[in-house]
Amino acid sequence: MKLIIGSKNPTKIRACEAVFTDYTVRGVEVSSGVSPQPRTDEETKQGAINRALQSLNMKEADVGVGLEGGVMLVDDCLYVTNWGALAVSTDLIYTAAGARIALPNEFLPELEEGKELGDIMEGYAKRENVRSKEGAIGIFTNNLIDRGTMFTHITQALRGQLEYWSKS
């Protein structure tokens, strides 16, 4: 079986490899079809679905996966949000969301200017390539939950749904 994930981000690819050990996993660059920094839960979820469907459309894919990170406001507090989607066909798509934690509201002006959270985090934490390593969630949870763990958890939820509904 072949799984294509709609990203070249090593953290997202490793999450799929960790969960789909019996699949051949390959990452490809596809468009999320949403803004570079999704700003709502709905937009982040749609980005994951779009990536999964584009990945599935690759001729050799048995399943397509999309993992998308975003931010959202809840009661005037900024949160990180993450979604995953697994597409078996255009009519059969499983979705799952990950952990959410509050971010400093001081990030809002830069986000409103169109800056991505990964870029903001690099300056804030004085670290390079945060989006491909621990992510904002790793920094703000003192690495108790890093981006890889969060995306692995989402991917486990996707595979679990696939297996459950496949036997029904």
Side-chain angles (χ1 to χ4, degrees), residues 117-139:
L117 180 60
D119 296 326
I120 295 169
M121 288 304 303
E122 287 181 6
Y124 182 84
K126 297 178 181 36
R127 298 181 191 177
E128 292 183 13
N129 211 11
V130 171
R131 71 175 47 104
S132 294
K133 295 179 182 170
E134 69 271 75
I137 196 160
I139 290 170

Side-chain angles (χ1 to χ4, degrees), residues 79-154:
Y79 281 83
V80 66
T81 182
N82 297 276
W83 277 90
L86 184 148
V88 178
S89 70
T90 55
D91 297 327
L92 185 54
I93 303 167
Y94 302 102
T95 59
R100 293 182 172 95
I101 61 163
L103 298 170
N105 276 353
E106 68 189 68
F107 292 178
L108 278 170
E110 290 181 280
L111 289 165
E112 289 169 358
E113 292 172 5
K115 202 166 184 184
E116 293 184 43
L117 180 60
D119 296 326
I120 295 169
M121 288 304 303
E122 287 181 6
Y124 182 84
K126 297 178 181 36
R127 298 181 191 177
E128 292 183 13
N129 211 11
V130 171
R131 71 175 47 104
S132 294
K133 295 179 182 170
E134 69 271 75
I137 196 160
I139 290 170
F140 291 120
T141 64
N142 203 33
N143 274 324
L144 289 175
I145 302 172
D146 63 16
R147 196 165 195 236
T149 302
M150 183 199 51
F151 277 132
T152 298
H153 183 253
I154 292 170

Side-chain angles (χ1 to χ4, degrees), residues 47-103:
I49 291 169
N50 293 346
R51 288 180 188 276
L53 287 171
Q54 287 183 63
S55 298
L56 180 65
N57 286 334
M58 305 279 171
K59 299 264 186 266
E60 68 273 16
D62 295 302
V63 296
V65 171
L67 297 170
E68 189 76 17
V71 295
M72 61 187 276
L73 280 172
V74 178
D75 298 327
D76 297 324
C77 183
L78 184 66
Y79 281 83
V80 66
T81 182
N82 297 276
W83 277 90
L86 184 148
V88 178
S89 70
T90 55
D91 297 327
L92 185 54
I93 303 167
Y94 302 102
T95 59
R100 293 182 172 95
I101 61 163
L103 298 170

Side-chain angles (χ1 to χ4, degrees), residues 19-23 86 155-164:
V19 175
F20 287 90
T21 57
D22 51 339
Y23 283 62
L86 184 148
T155 306
Q156 288 169 323
L158 294 172
R159 181 162 188 167
Q161 290 175 81
L162 173 67
E163 291 177 356
Y164 177 81

